Amino acid sequence: MDDMNLQEFEARIARGEKIEPGDWMPDAYRKQLIRMISQHAHSEIIGMLPEGVWLGRAPTLRRKMVLLSKVQDEGGHGQYLYHAAETLGATREEMTDALLAGRAKYSSVFNYPTLTWADIGMIGWLVDGAAIQNQTMLAHCSYGPYSRAMVRICTEETFHKKQGMEQIIRYARGTPRQKQMAQDALNRWWWPALMMFGPHDTASPNSAQLIRWGVKTKTNDELRQDFINKMVPDFHAIGLTIPDPALRYDAASGDWLGGEINWDEFWRVVNGDGPCNAERLQIRRTAHTEGAWVREALNAYAARAEA
Ligand code: 3HC
């Protein structure tokens, strides 16, 4: 029976149909999606923290309002994605416990410190830009609830990217000190942003299955290369230097080819030993503890409403 179901499932994927929560799906498909979507949700929530620390130090009220709006958006993205994972049978409690216990992954890029206000602009342009590159692809994902969440999230991410672009372009065209701040931010965020696309395809244990079942429609390296090709001309246009001495333009392929990512750093940070891993998880654990009364009140209210 499962062989027949699998054949029909894969035929549906080949026809470009969306798989919905009540449809038959291989256990491995369900497991992959819970893994990927819950980690994506964790990334959105933890991703609020590097920018959140600058909310009280924004240079103008306008910048403060824009950043407040962005950080709130990220929290909302996390909720959409946790809910998408719940449609597969995962519970909010299980996912949260995995994160708080350090068992769940989230994007390593959020384990780096935000040292100046220019980092806020660079995160918006570079990090959210990388997220858009990936999430635009995921909007075509074979699992219905995930692909629909991506459509909504990408719309908001576009605003995140544009506000970052505006800031970095202003600083690059501003005083020498402002331009240096923008260059310093690019120097520190370029490589962690490239790591957002994951290990090389040859070192990606999940990609083959995700591609086969239409969750990913491009590989990690394809997405990364598309992103580099987009970002290099943009930064060159405003006089910033990409912190990769090996970077060169290959006219035959039209690609900007760079040096190798420091995969030792990648896996060290993924596995919990990055500059801010402990701090990020501690803040998230404290928020969970201090927010227990809200969850208890909501549960009590829901129980009484059902009684
Ligand atoms: N940080 C942390 N872990 C990473 C990682 C990264 N940058 N890249 C890969 N990994 C992990 C994977 O989770 C996997 O571990 P696991 O099997 O224990 O889960 C392992 O490294 C091997 O990587 P694979 O390539 O085999 O894993 P995937 O096929 O899942 O590809 C991915 C990794 C590209 C991150 C993919 O999971 C994905 O596209 N996820 C959805 C998008 C997402 O999570 N984006 C994170 C950023 S969200 C964001 O930027 C918010 C924005 O508002 C700023």
Side-chain angles (χ1 to χ4, degrees), residues 35-36 39-40 43-44 70 74 77 105-110 127-128 131 134-135 137-138 146 157 160 195-199 203-207 210 216 220 266-267 270:
R35 173 191 68 83
M36 197 168 156
Q39 289 177 174
H40 194 163
S43 301
E44 299 279 4
K70 176 179 190 303
E74 310 297 12
H77 297 172
K105 290 185 172 72
Y106 58 87
S107 195
S108 56
V109 70
F110 298 121
V127 173
D128 286 66
N134 186 345
Q135 292 165 177
M137 179 246 331
L138 292 171
Y146 196 24
E157 295 289 2
H160 300 173
M195 294 173 186
M196 289 171 68
F197 296 99
S204 171
N206 298 294
S207 281
L210 293 170
K216 283 183 178 180
N220 296 357
F266 171 79
W267 288 113
V270 168

Side-chain angles (χ1 to χ4, degrees), residues 120-221:
I120 301 303
M122 195 53 76
I123 286 173
W125 193 354
L126 199 57
V127 173
D128 286 66
I132 290 171
Q133 189 79 39
N134 186 345
Q135 292 165 177
T136 305
M137 179 246 331
L138 292 171
H140 301 284
C141 162
S142 58
Y143 186 58
Y146 196 24
S147 68
R148 291 188 290 270
M150 285 299 102
V151 173
R152 170 71 185 268
I153 287 176
C154 283
T155 306
E156 293 174 340
E157 295 289 2
T158 303
F159 144 65
H160 300 173
K161 176 181 171 183
K162 285 182 175 169
Q163 62 85 35
M165 281 180 79
E166 185 217 4
Q167 293 187 71
I168 294 301
I169 291 169
R170 278 175 182 265
Y171 301 150
R173 292 178 176 166
T175 64
R177 184 155 176 266
Q178 284 174 325
K179 182 166 185 178
Q180 186 49 48
M181 271 176 66
Q183 182 64 59
D184 170 54
L186 179 55
N187 293 344
R188 286 183 287 105
W189 289 97
W190 174 256
W191 293 102
L194 298 190
M195 294 173 186
M196 289 171 68
F197 296 99
H200 280 313
D201 300 344
T202 49
S204 171
N206 298 294
S207 281
Q209 193 170 56
L210 293 170
I211 295 246
R212 177 181 165 196
W213 284 338
V215 176
K216 283 183 178 180
T217 50
K218 284 195 167 188
T219 69
N220 296 357
D221 286 327

Side-chain angles (χ1 to χ4, degrees), residues 39-59:
Q39 289 177 174
H40 194 163
H42 297 330
S43 301
E44 299 279 4
I45 299 299
I46 298 290
M48 296 167 78
L49 300 178
E51 293 172 307
V53 297
W54 279 90
L55 279 172
R57 296 180 281 169

